[in-house]
Amino acid sequence: MKVLILGGDGYLGWPTAMYLSRLGYDVSVVDNYFRRWACHELDIESLIAVPNLQQRAQLWKEVSGIDIQVAIGDITDYSFLSRCFTGQAFIANNQPTTNNREQAPDVIVHYAEQPSAPYSMMGREKAVFTLTNNLVGTANLIHAVKEFNPDCHIVKLGTMGVYGTPNIDIEEGYLDVEHKGRRHTFLYPKAPGSLYHLTKAQDGDMLYFYCRMWDIRVTDLNQGPVYGISTEESGHDERLLSIFNYDDVFGTVLNRFLVQAVSGFPLTVYGKGGQVRGYLNIKDTMACVELSVRNPAEKGQYRVFNQFVETFSVNELAEKVQRAGRQLGLNVEV
């Protein structure tokens, strides 16, 4: 299958591109370098310097022999996104690509959203950017699928944060409701706690709407916080490692704790530390995405999976890092 990864330069996007290409998928990636320039702006660089996306693709080809096509641009620009669907965005030096990209992709893996709750709450400018990037980008994607390949399967990265912290069990995507003797299945009620999480709830509702209106295929992977940096593919060369943030804007909690533990900085548990979330390793994210790619949703189906491996409170997570640090001779404080 031809797979187009939106947000292919990101923490999850680039490892997914290598992983799927190694499994035999025909992979292209698109990115607007948002994460890189936001890190420059806020002075929160990645722990490890990584080459740009074209250099990464060239390095991957050298170590694996596999081509990953690259295009740099913004999917909120519909003309650019259209060229990605027709293959024109991947034509370099006026020469057509060697693998057949005249047809639209079979699968879209949609990582191309502003991913940080703190960033979305910094002020009006960043709030408007988050709304525009996440919702206009997703709307453009839906229209491109309808225009170029209505049978294309969208696999979108969601977040379990859209559910908030309700006082009832969180079901997978949907909830069966009985009211005054009648029953109906609804999308599980959402109570996001940041503007970022609100946009993820809104784009989910938008995708569900177009599944019903236009019979498109969508899988929404509501995942918990991801941790880790190493994958089987990045073991070939350290320059193939993913962008790894450990700050309080783009760094996920466990990645931040690990760097704090090694550097001798007390682990930053915000609030009371009782928030319970589901966590998974970056390798598990890629496996879940590939399972979804390989087993597409039905036409008109908006399919939701809650994607996590283990659940911990933030305090439990900090205690685990503290114990592991002590085993390595580190004096880890919380």
Side-chain angles (χ1 to χ4, degrees), residues 34 86 96 114 172 226 268 277:
F34 158 75
T86 61
Q114 192 290 102
E172 192 160 56
V226 181
T268 48
R277 288 290 180 263

Side-chain angles (χ1 to χ4, degrees), residues 21-42:
S21 71
R22 181 177 61 82
L23 293 180
Y25 294 94
D26 182 3
V27 176
S28 301
V29 296
V30 171
D31 206 283
N32 66 354
Y33 285 158
F34 158 75
R35 174 74 71 92
R36 292 182 187 249
W37 66 252
C39 290
H40 282 303
E41 176 196 11
L42 300 174

Side-chain angles (χ1 to χ4, degrees), residues 9 12 126 141 205 248 296 323:
D9 189 53
L12 300 177
K126 291 174 173 54
L141 169 59
D205 286 338
D248 58 357
R323 288 196 300 271

Side-chain angles (χ1 to χ4, degrees), residues 163-170 188 191:
Y163 298 123
T165 52
N167 196 35
I168 59 173
D169 289 343
I170 294 176
Y188 192 97

Side-chain angles (χ1 to χ4, degrees), residues 35-307:
R35 174 74 71 92
R36 292 182 187 249
W37 66 252
C39 290
H40 282 303
E41 176 196 11
L42 300 174
D43 192 24
I44 48 173
E45 299 296 332
S46 171
L47 181 67
I48 298 169
V50 296
N52 67 37
L53 196 48
Q54 292 95 334
Q55 292 166 341
R56 287 168 136 184
Q58 180 59 37
L59 181 61
W60 176 239
K61 183 175 182 179
E62 291 171 3
V63 302
S64 70
I66 300 171
D67 273 311
I68 293 178
Q69 299 292 330
V70 173
I72 305 302
D74 195 329
I75 68 167
T76 63
D77 176 358
Y78 190 72
S79 63
F80 168 74
L81 184 59
S82 298
R83 294 195 300 274
C84 294
F85 269 74
T86 61
Q88 295 301 304
F90 303 99
I91 294 177
N93 300 320
N94 297 318
Q95 296 297 316
T97 52
T98 54
N99 46 358
N100 181 14
R101 299 198 174 269
E102 297 302 315
Q103 297 180 350
D106 304 300
V107 182
I108 304 291
V109 179
H110 184 15
Y111 289 129
E113 295 188 300
Q114 192 290 102
S116 168
Y119 187 90
S120 72
M121 303 294 284
M122 284 182 171
R124 187 203 64 82
E125 180 183 334
K126 291 174 173 54
V128 170
F129 173 83
T130 301
L131 286 165
T132 303
N133 183 84
N134 294 5
L135 298 181
V136 174
T138 300
N140 279 351
L141 169 59
I142 293 166
H143 281 264
V145 165
K146 183 176 187 294
E147 180 176 353
F148 296 105
N149 182 11
D151 203 42
C152 180
H153 177 209
I154 299 173
V155 178
K156 190 211 70 161
L157 192 74
T159 168
M160 290 195 68
V162 296
Y163 298 123
T165 52
N167 196 35
I168 59 173
D169 289 343
I170 294 176
E171 304 296 336
E172 192 160 56
Y174 292 86
L175 188 65
D176 292 322
V177 176
E178 183 170 344
H179 182 65
K180 294 184 178 180
R182 301 170 73 179
R183 297 178 61 85
H184 194 77
T185 299
F186 296 91
L187 284 179
Y188 192 97
K190 299 177 176 68
S194 77
L195 185 69
Y196 155 72
H197 288 97
L198 177 61
T199 64
K200 301 296 274 189
Q202 291 170 321
D203 69 17
D205 286 338
M206 181 162 48
L207 288 161
Y208 179 46
F209 171 79
Y210 280 109
C211 283
R212 290 180 286 123
M213 295 299 107
W214 289 348
D215 279 341
I216 64 173
R217 306 170 186 262
V218 176
T219 298
D220 201 343
L221 297 175
N222 284 340
Q223 70 168 13
V226 181
Y227 64 89
I229 186 171
S230 298
T231 66
E232 181 178 339
E233 294 75 29
S234 66
H236 295 285
D237 190 309
E238 188 178 79
R239 292 171 295 173
L240 291 172
L241 288 169
S242 187
I243 290 175
F244 186 89
N245 289 103
Y246 58 96
D247 53 86
D248 58 357
V249 178
F250 293 111
T252 57
V253 61
L254 184 52
N255 287 348
R256 187 167 70 248
F257 281 175
L258 295 176
V259 175
Q260 289 172 337
V262 171
S263 63
F265 193 91
L267 308 189
T268 48
V269 175
Y270 299 128
K272 296 179 180 179
Q275 183 186 61
V276 177
R277 288 290 180 263
Y279 297 87
L280 72 166
N281 187 276
I282 191 170
K283 297 177 184 178
D284 295 314
T285 291
M286 294 186 299
C288 290
V289 169
E290 200 270 329
L291 277 171
S292 299
V293 168
R294 184 153 36 96
N295 302 280
E298 300 294 329
K299 288 181 71 68
Q301 182 183 20
Y302 175 68
R303 187 173 63 173
V304 181
F305 295 130
N306 294 340
Q307 183 172 299

